[in-house]
Amino acid sequence: MRVLVVDDSSTMRRVVEQILEVLGHEAVPAADGATALEALRSTDAIELILLDWNMPEMSGIQFLRTVKADPDLQQIPVIMLTTESERRKMIDAIEAGAKHYLTKPFQPETLATKILQCVGSSV
Amino acid sequence: MSEPVLSTRDFDHLRELIEGWCGIAVDSSKTYLIETRLRHLVGETGCSSYSEFYDKALCASDALRDQIIDSITTNETSWFRDAPVYRALRSTLIPDVYRRMEEGMNERGAQGRLRIWSAACSTGQEPYSIAILLREMERSGEIPAGAASQVEILATDVCRAALALAGLGRYDPISIRRGLSSDLRDRYFEKQGRVSIVRPEIREAVTFRRFNLLEPLGTLGTFDLVLMRNVMIYFSTGVKKHMLARVLQILRSEATVVVGATESLERYTREYEALRLDSCTYYRARAKEEGETR
């Protein structure tokens, strides 16, 4: 199963890729919103998006709103990952259509269980 | 359609419902937990408000109830978490069980099998750590040869997603390092790319089962060792008392109960006796005085 990982930190992308590997999923990495949108429109069968909040150019919440406004993409579940722990931002993300919200640092198992809840495992 | 807003009344209703289902008490300062973790379910179930969602949840199917519980539970764990507990198990508590078995003092006699319950196993590190500990004890002759493969480790959790992950026995490079030495990683895990997979002899030593701690415990059987670490912190005082009384019924003779390092049972019950081994506190059923009833 393909999962889009949108984060401007290469370290975080690697960490998330490792967690996806545990579940047998394939990561499609993207360092910014524009690359991620391109990947969504050109890559078949992306079934989940893991999305950072703080990114250059297009923020995570802007990206999320763009995805949720697109009839072809809006069904893909999104898990937000961010260093922002304020309650307001969590609610903004959920209101904008995110399925789950995790604040960094998170335990890998916590993200893995959220992914399992959204799309199960491929192993 | 406008986004649903969680009123104080809806929050109170939902938290009561969740506590009734699985005992987890959501503090009133944590409205955001309900608001953020259940929001997607409100939408997915076609509800336009938390109040409507509550009505639906009241007669929820098992699947929806599980989804709600999964969304609320947290999964924090690491290998050999709280080292004094594992030192005490290795030095004294587990050898004592085997000594009693050998001496025939135990009600099961020499043919008995050690049974261990990991009551909230989350993503599997606790029961697998116990299975690894037993293998290590067997390797070094601290327990009889072949004993480790005879032990029954039952690992339960209320969260299906955490259990599913535990059952896979697959860990990423960060998770596998938290609390696990490279020796033990090499001995008890196989590498597949960046993923570490629990070896079959460890995986097979553990039976995972979804279990809600509010359910009757009798179906689980009886145990020599019960690990209820960092479980009770999520429960209200009433649920804690009720649970501890029920756990008492499934303890074998001289069975040991271990709770989290920051938890203690004395505040909730006098039926357990606190014992100490170095810096590990553990509990046993208090012996009844003459004429006293439980």
Side-chain angles (χ1 to χ4, degrees):
Chain A
M1 193 173 291
R2 288 192 177 127
V3 177
L4 181 63
V5 181
V6 194
D7 200 309
D8 58 329
S9 157
S10 59
T11 305
M12 188 50 67
R13 287 199 303 274
R14 196 178 67 247
V15 167
V16 173
E17 282 173 28
Q18 290 169 355
I19 296 165
L20 288 168
E21 203 174 321
V22 166
L23 300 173
H25 299 324
E26 178 192 343
V28 178
D32 56 66
T35 310
L37 281 174
E38 176 58 33
L40 272 178
R41 289 176 176 135
S42 63
T43 312
D44 283 341
I46 287 181
E47 298 196 31
L48 174 68
I49 301 169
L50 303 179
L51 176 63
D52 183 32
W53 183 293
N54 292 309
M55 293 188 299
E57 309 295 332
M58 183 187 287
S59 71
I61 193 77
Q62 287 172 318
F63 177 83
L64 175 61
R65 288 181 177 134
T66 304
V67 167
K68 291 299 169 186
D70 187 325
D72 292 334
L73 306 176
Q74 63 189 195
Q75 296 308 316
I76 304 173
V78 177
I79 300 176
M80 288 290 288
L81 309 171
T82 178
T83 51
E84 306 288 350
S85 57
E86 299 98 316
R87 177 173 174 266
R88 185 65 248 164
K89 289 199 169 171
M90 289 187 208
I91 292 170
D92 284 349
I94 299 296
E95 281 181 0
K99 186 151 186 167
H100 293 292
Y101 185 107
L102 278 185
T103 52
K104 301 172 191 170
F106 52 81
Q107 293 218 19
E109 298 90 337
T110 307
L111 176 58
T113 54
K114 299 293 180 204
I115 296 169
L116 274 170
Q117 283 169 17
C118 289
V119 293
S121 82
S122 298
V123 287
Chain B
M1 188 173 69
S2 61
E3 291 294 340
V5 174
L6 181 68
S7 68
T8 307
R9 188 163 167 269
D10 295 336
F11 171 74
D12 286 340
H13 281 156
L14 284 164
R15 74 169 170 161
E16 276 172 27
L17 190 64
I18 291 164
E19 184 172 357
W21 281 342
C22 61
I24 292 175
V26 181
D27 187 79
S28 58
S29 66
K30 292 181 178 161
T31 52
Y32 69 93
L33 266 180
I34 299 265
E35 194 162 26
T36 57
R37 293 187 182 184
L38 296 187
R39 175 67 61 95
H40 70 280
L41 288 176
V42 174
E44 280 173 18
T45 50
C47 298
S48 56
S49 66
Y50 282 96
S51 160
E52 191 183 341
F53 181 70
Y54 171 71
D55 289 340
K56 186 161 273 190
L58 271 178
C59 48
S61 63
D62 287 350
L64 177 59
R65 191 168 62 178
D66 288 349
Q67 279 182 295
I68 294 171
I69 293 171
D70 277 12
S71 299
I72 295 296
T73 48
T74 55
N75 326 100
E76 278 205 28
T77 186
S78 62
W79 303 95
F80 294 93
R81 184 179 185 183
D82 193 6
V85 169
Y86 287 92
R87 282 200 297 271
L89 287 172
R90 182 167 194 161
S91 70
T92 308
L93 301 176
I94 290 174
D96 273 0
V97 179
Y98 282 100
R99 182 182 47 74
R100 289 199 304 275
M101 285 161 86
E102 280 177 12
E103 290 171 1
M105 289 167 62
N106 194 293
E107 69 265 33
R108 290 149 296 150
Q111 299 305 310
R113 296 176 81 183
L114 176 62
R115 291 195 81 231
I116 298 171
W117 179 29
S118 169
C121 68
S122 188
T123 48
Q125 282 89 337
E126 180 176 87
Y128 287 140
S129 294
I130 293 285
I132 290 171
L133 174 72
L134 288 160
R135 287 274 166 180
E136 286 293 288
M137 291 175 73
E138 189 181 277
R139 277 183 87 230
S140 54
E142 295 159 74
I143 57 175
S149 55
Q150 292 298 308
V151 174
E152 293 180 36
I153 303 172
L154 176 67
T156 63
D157 203 282
V158 72
C159 177
R160 278 189 201 280
L163 269 182
L165 193 59
L168 291 177
R170 294 164 62 92
Y171 296 90
D172 65 273
I174 296 173
S175 302
I176 196 66
R177 280 184 172 76
R178 269 198 331 257
L180 201 60
S181 69
S182 59
D183 273 0
L184 294 182
R185 288 201 297 270
D186 292 345
R187 206 170 294 144
Y188 297 107
F189 292 82
E190 292 165 4
K191 286 296 287 285
Q192 188 181 86
R194 290 177 290 191
V195 180
S196 297
I197 306 171
V198 176
R199 287 191 187 277
E201 68 267 28
I202 298 301
R203 172 65 190 82
E204 286 159 12
V206 182
T207 302
F208 290 100
R209 175 172 159 188
R210 201 257 182 184
F211 187 76
N212 182 336
L213 291 171
L214 297 187
E215 291 171 34
L217 301 182
T219 59
L220 302 178
T222 57
F223 297 93
D224 299 286
L225 170 63
V226 173
L227 300 163
M228 292 200 306
R229 302 190 301 152
N230 308 302
V231 176
M232 292 194 303
I233 48 174
Y234 297 107
F235 297 148
S236 65
T237 300
V239 172
K240 283 179 181 129
K241 287 180 177 173
H242 181 54
M243 201 167 79
L244 289 168
R246 290 182 308 130
V247 167
L248 216 49
Q249 308 304 317
I250 58 164
L251 297 181
R252 290 174 169 178
S253 163
E254 295 187 65
T256 299
V257 176
V258 181
V259 296
T262 59
E263 300 169 304
S264 78
L265 305 191
E266 291 89 332
R267 283 178 56 197
Y268 310 108
T269 173
R270 291 187 61 253
E271 307 245 40
Y272 291 81
E273 180 181 12
L275 299 160
R276 216 166 156 74
L277 201 62
D278 297 323
S279 49
C280 169
T281 302
Y282 61 97
Y283 295 86
R284 289 210 166 128
R286 190 183 291 281
K288 293 283 134 191
E289 289 171 16
E290 203 171 329
E292 193 179 0
T293 54
R294 180 166 283 160

